[in-house]
Amino acid sequence: MLPPQSLKALKGRGAVSNLQGRYEVHARDGFDDGWGVAGADADAEGEGVAPWKTQVSDEQARTILTRNASPDLPFNVSLNPYRGCEHGCIYCFARPTHSYLGLSPGLDFESRIYAKVNAPELLRRELARPSYVPEPIALGVNTDAYQPCERERQLTRRVLEVLHECEHPVALITKSSLIERDIDLLAPMAAKRLAAVAVTVTTLDPAIARTLEPRAAAPARRLRTIRTLTDAGIPVGVSIAPIIPFVTEPEIEQLLEAVRDSGAIHAHYVVLRLPWEVSPLFQQWLEAHFPERAQRVMNRVREMRGGKDYDSAFGTRMQGEGVWADLIRQRFEKAVHRLGLHGRGGRFKQLDCTQFRRPLVVPPLGAKAKGSNAGQLDLF
């Protein structure tokens, strides 16, 4: 019987394994056969690790707007130009969606990205429908609309151009400074109460950020982005998410002060959520980066989830329950009140849907996609 493989962090990646998705038919178990990794790159410590290069594939989506009826969310309609996210945040609740593609929620999720190349055309067609009723669209909720491949693909930019043309309200959330590129669109929309932005700030510690969300903008860079957007007249809120006991939780008050000083006008928080494959992936990350406190962290997480790794019940899934969840809530609310920040959901309430005008021209959709993704229903 071979001993289990030790968990080693991969430079620039959040997940430490390519954990099998829950829909896989065949089970696989990796082990060290003593041969090493042929052609492996050298990491910072000089050890060999297999390179995980990002692959971005084109996808022809069939639908582009996703609707939800969750009482926990301040929006009903969302749009995601990409599947998977190169930011590699280990806690990302969207990781399990890669299981539907026959891929791993682990390293595959952050290295195999699908770009919905017809997203702007699908959006234009949707907005042109006589039955369409405008309401704020949340852009980039499942995976970050400004992840690195957006620099080249510019799908988010083109989606914003459609919304700008139609004077349709939009709310964005991101961890990327790339959003500054689109200030020329967002600033005039914000002046008409058609655009609002939220920036996620999880920690102020760059060392933690490098492992927790390895390819997202550094914490200091996100604070500069908040200031840049604010100075351009764009209202910016902040998502302190997720709050991880004994990892990011000690920073709650310091984080709120920093984002207030950078110009944010409101803030909300979400405690760590571990649905489906996110739980084992996060626990592997803990063992690789914080082995001395891994059990302590998970004990507190379970204390806030009724003894389980996760409870998906509406009303409690975002903030948890119990003594520890109540302590976090009190700390957050007291700090928000002291700093003059607004509560959750303000950015959607301020958006105006009355200015909407349907697009005058609906261009024909492109030819049918070829390959394994053709005809696949877009659920995410």
Side-chain angles (χ1 to χ4, degrees):
M1 185 72 175
L2 290 169
Q5 259 187 311
S6 60
L7 295 172
K8 293 182 180 179
L10 300 179
K11 186 176 181 180
R13 294 297 179 188
V16 298
S17 79
N18 216 24
L19 183 79
Q20 198 168 333
R22 65 190 182 279
Y23 297 119
E24 293 290 332
V25 176
H26 303 290
R28 299 182 298 277
D29 190 16
F31 65 92
D32 186 358
D33 60 4
W35 284 92
V37 181
D41 292 340
D43 64 13
E45 288 72 38
E47 298 178 358
V49 294
W52 284 87
K53 295 183 178 179
T54 303
Q55 305 172 46
V56 183
S57 302
D58 291 351
E59 176 182 359
Q60 291 282 339
R62 291 181 59 186
T63 60
I64 199 59
L65 295 182
T66 302
R67 289 174 169 81
N68 76 84
S70 170
D72 295 323
L73 300 176
F75 58 87
N76 299 319
V77 184
S78 61
L79 188 158
N80 295 284
Y82 302 99
R83 297 181 193 257
C85 185
E86 195 179 351
H87 283 165
C89 306
I90 189 57
Y91 51 77
C92 182
F93 66 88
R95 281 184 176 273
T97 61
H98 252 44
S99 294
Y100 292 100
L101 304 177
L103 298 172
S104 170
L107 291 166
D108 280 349
F109 176 81
E110 53 195 271
S111 62
R112 299 183 64 175
I113 313 300
Y114 291 85
K116 303 174 186 178
V117 294
N118 59 338
E121 290 78 15
L122 283 175
L123 175 62
R124 184 178 290 274
R125 184 178 68 173
E126 185 71 24
L127 300 185
R129 295 183 188 277
S131 60
Y132 179 77
V133 177
E135 57 183 310
I137 292 176
L139 181 54
V141 177
N142 220 32
T143 56
D144 204 313
Y146 286 102
Q147 60 180 287
C149 63
E150 167 63 15
R151 292 186 183 278
E152 177 185 348
R153 297 302 179 113
Q154 299 198 23
L155 290 176
T156 301
R157 169 82 184 184
R158 290 167 55 203
V159 164
L160 283 176
E161 287 173 345
V162 174
L163 296 173
H164 179 272
E165 174 192 335
C166 297
E167 298 192 341
H168 192 293
V170 62
L172 303 97
I173 185 166
T174 185
K175 298 183 180 79
S176 175
S177 60
L178 181 58
I179 192 173
E180 296 173 8
R181 177 200 65 187
D182 295 334
I183 285 178
D184 63 317
L185 294 172
L186 293 172
M189 292 180 73
K192 296 180 178 181
R193 292 191 299 124
L194 294 173
V197 171
V199 175
T200 300
V201 185
T202 314
T203 177
L204 295 176
D205 187 331
I208 293 177
R210 275 195 298 271
T211 64
L212 190 66
E213 37 200 24
R215 299 201 179 193
R221 185 67 183 90
R222 289 183 228 181
L223 295 179
R224 291 213 321 267
T225 295
I226 294 171
R227 172 53 61 194
T228 300
L229 295 172
T230 299
D231 290 347
I234 301 167
V236 182
V238 168
S239 174
I240 308 293
I243 293 177
I244 305 173
F246 306 122
V247 179
T248 65
E249 162 267 323
E251 300 180 67
I252 291 174
E253 291 82 4
Q254 185 183 2
L255 268 172
L256 287 169
E257 288 183 15
V259 300
R260 190 278 312 271
D261 292 345
S262 297
I265 61 172
H266 63 86
H268 74 272
Y269 77 96
V270 179
V271 298
L272 179 66
R273 299 170 55 195
L274 298 176
W276 299 107
E277 293 93 340
V278 181
S279 179
L281 285 167
F282 179 77
Q283 292 184 62
Q284 289 177 354
W285 177 86
L286 276 176
E287 291 293 342
H289 296 285
F290 296 99
E292 77 288 349
R293 70 182 90 165
Q295 191 58 55
R296 190 181 180 203
V297 171
M298 289 307 301
N299 287 345
R300 287 294 178 265
V301 168
R302 290 167 184 144
E303 185 178 321
M304 293 190 289
R305 300 296 185 185
K308 300 180 290 186
D309 287 0
Y310 183 57
D311 183 359
S312 61
F314 290 150
T316 60
R317 61 179 182 152
M318 298 298 188
Q319 273 80 45
E321 56 186 345
V323 174
W324 246 80
D326 193 50
L327 177 61
I328 289 174
R329 179 187 58 78
Q330 290 182 43
R331 288 174 58 191
F332 191 91
E333 289 180 352
K334 287 179 181 296
V336 163
H337 178 75
R338 173 172 57 85
L339 296 168
L341 296 167
H342 298 300
R344 180 179 179 176
R347 64 194 178 113
F348 287 92
K349 294 176 182 177
Q350 67 188 350
L351 297 175
D352 181 12
C353 296
T354 64
Q355 303 174 59
F356 171 69
R357 55 187 184 187
R358 300 186 196 283
L360 299 177
V361 179
V362 182
L365 291 175
K368 281 190 176 181
K370 297 180 181 179
S372 60
N373 291 319
Q376 214 171 47
L377 182 61
D378 177 20
L379 296 177
F380 313 113

